[in-house]
Amino acid sequence: MRKYTIPAFLAFAMTASMLAGCAKDTGSSTATADDTKKTAANPEPVELTIYSAGGTNNDEFEKNYASYIKKKFPHVTIKYINPREGAGTKLEDLITAGVNIDLYYESIGTFFSTLPRNKATFDLTEMVKKKNLDLNRFDPTLIDALKQNGNGQLWGLPVTTNTMSLYYNKDIFNKFGIPYLKDGMSWEELYEVAGKLNRTDGGKKYVGMAISPSHSMRMNNYSLPFVDAKTGKATFDNEIWKQLLQPILQPAADSLYQSKMADLNSKLPYSSEWLKTQDLAILGVFSDWQVVNPEPVPFDWDLAAYPQYKDNPGVGSQQYPVYWAIPSFSKHKEQAFDVLAYLVSDEYQTELSKRGGMTVLTNPEVRKAFGENSPHKNKNLAAAYYNKSAPISVKTEYDKTAENAITAKLADLALNKIDINTALRQAQEEADKAIEAAKKN
């Protein structure tokens, strides 16, 4: 490369000019540098208002979120609004009153309907780019759901999540000499095991299995939604629903199981039968259900991966995340995003994982820490991450309306008071009618 030299007299003139310019502007330049350094080291105090749609208990919010945020950002003061605290604390009331909200979090079930209904959506895409936040660190189904339900925009970021797993009472298995559950079982294999656990012993009725109806339907392995977003109609006319209801209905085909339901006033067995009366052997529910419980469970239990369908191998339940958004009317968007970026960092997600919460990240080390600080750390907690997550189904504001229509049929279905074809047809009709009525309001 050819080099160019500056004549001595010109170099001297340039140097003198530069020195003169520096002398003239020394005060302002130094002040600007000092101010920048000072601002970075001592950012301006700010109050961020955080709203929980689900009404997280105040103590839980302080322990799980606020304490970490305040430690990481000493200049930030947190004002927490819990909608369960009384009149005027609902989101609509706060917006009408002009109350500022900087961070808003809600589970996926209603997140995508609440924000647009209240004109609170704010696309985080540009801030994600500006702050170099790598979205590839997240489980892809969580980000895909954001974009799919937000018309390509990022209305928030997932901070916590959950999957479905199987909790089982080892004492009951031992009592009847049944081998423990294994990860990677099919539904058919699980039904066979559960059937062997419908027993009577010492006058006590034991039943094999119950799956949380709401969670198993919302998080089904086939990603079938309650409502077709394009037609606005319920999906109960889809044949897949017959298969999706089997985990709830198949165990109830046993006469002893139905006798147990009669004892429970025609209700399906659930968490009380697993945890309190201890006469339910297997419960399918949120993976972190007992892992986050600081109290020891009064019997020997363990965890197994959620079952797979043979025509959908390796795929477990959908995830059920809680998304955090920065509302469009937030007065402190930059500071709010800094806090949000911290909540999805490896640092915070590791702490979340240790105390028994499921991480939104794919980082194997963060996942490995799941339940590390829990009294249940010696259980098979890796079962929560055994399966590949099913894609998250499309959400609509009428999902709960449709879900209610089919849920109302489950007890009668289990007790053979109605056949599945009739139940699904009626649920379809009732859901569609209720959805149309809701659209007019």
Side-chain angles (χ1 to χ4, degrees), residues 156-364:
L157 290 174
V159 172
T160 58
T161 192
N162 233 314
T163 58
M164 293 281 283
S165 290
L166 299 173
Y167 280 80
Y168 65 100
N169 185 325
K170 295 173 74 174
D171 288 346
I172 296 178
F173 276 70
N174 292 337
K175 176 187 284 290
F176 299 121
I178 306 298
Y180 297 148
L181 300 184
K182 300 180 296 183
D183 294 337
M185 296 179 71
S186 68
W187 280 106
E188 288 74 17
E189 290 171 327
L190 182 62
Y191 296 150
E192 184 177 352
V193 173
K196 297 176 182 178
L197 290 161
N198 293 322
R199 304 282 191 96
T200 299
D201 184 78
K204 185 174 184 178
K205 297 176 185 175
Y206 294 88
V207 289
M209 181 179 78
I211 303 293
S212 171
S214 60
H215 297 127
S216 66
M217 293 188 293
R218 294 174 190 173
M219 303 163 67
N220 69 80
N221 306 50
Y222 287 110
S223 306
L224 183 65
F226 284 106
V227 178
D228 186 317
K230 294 180 179 178
T231 65
K233 304 286 186 181
T235 62
F236 301 127
D237 55 356
N238 190 314
E239 286 293 309
I240 292 178
W241 273 107
K242 293 181 181 180
Q243 191 165 349
L244 295 182
L245 293 178
Q246 287 309 304
I248 302 169
L249 305 180
Q250 180 74 22
D254 189 283
S255 59
L256 189 143
Y257 199 101
Q258 293 184 24
S259 175
K260 184 68 174 180
M261 285 185 64
D263 295 343
L264 297 173
N265 296 318
S266 298
K267 293 181 180 178
L268 290 160
Y270 196 51
S271 56
S272 290
E273 287 64 52
W274 191 85
L275 189 59
K276 295 180 180 179
T277 59
Q278 298 167 33
D279 46 18
L280 172 63
I282 306 166
L283 177 63
V285 71
F286 271 159
S287 297
D288 73 353
W289 180 50
Q290 287 302 313
V291 185
V292 296
N293 187 351
E295 302 297 326
V297 175
F299 55 86
D300 193 11
W301 64 277
D302 213 337
L303 203 66
Y306 205 56
Q308 308 168 11
Y309 289 104
K310 290 183 178 179
D311 63 350
N312 197 20
V315 178
S317 72
Q318 300 172 46
Q319 295 199 45
Y320 204 81
V322 172
Y323 289 117
W324 285 55
I326 299 175
S328 56
F329 47 81
S330 164
K331 295 179 181 178
H332 310 105
K333 290 185 175 65
E334 288 285 339
Q335 296 93 328
F337 189 86
D338 288 341
V339 168
L340 183 51
Y342 164 67
L343 293 177
V344 298
S345 68
D346 285 358
E347 178 184 345
Y348 176 81
Q349 289 289 311
T350 298
E351 292 301 314
L352 165 74
S353 187
K354 285 180 179 179
R355 67 175 182 260
M358 290 193 68
T359 180
V360 297
L361 307 180
T362 57
N363 185 325

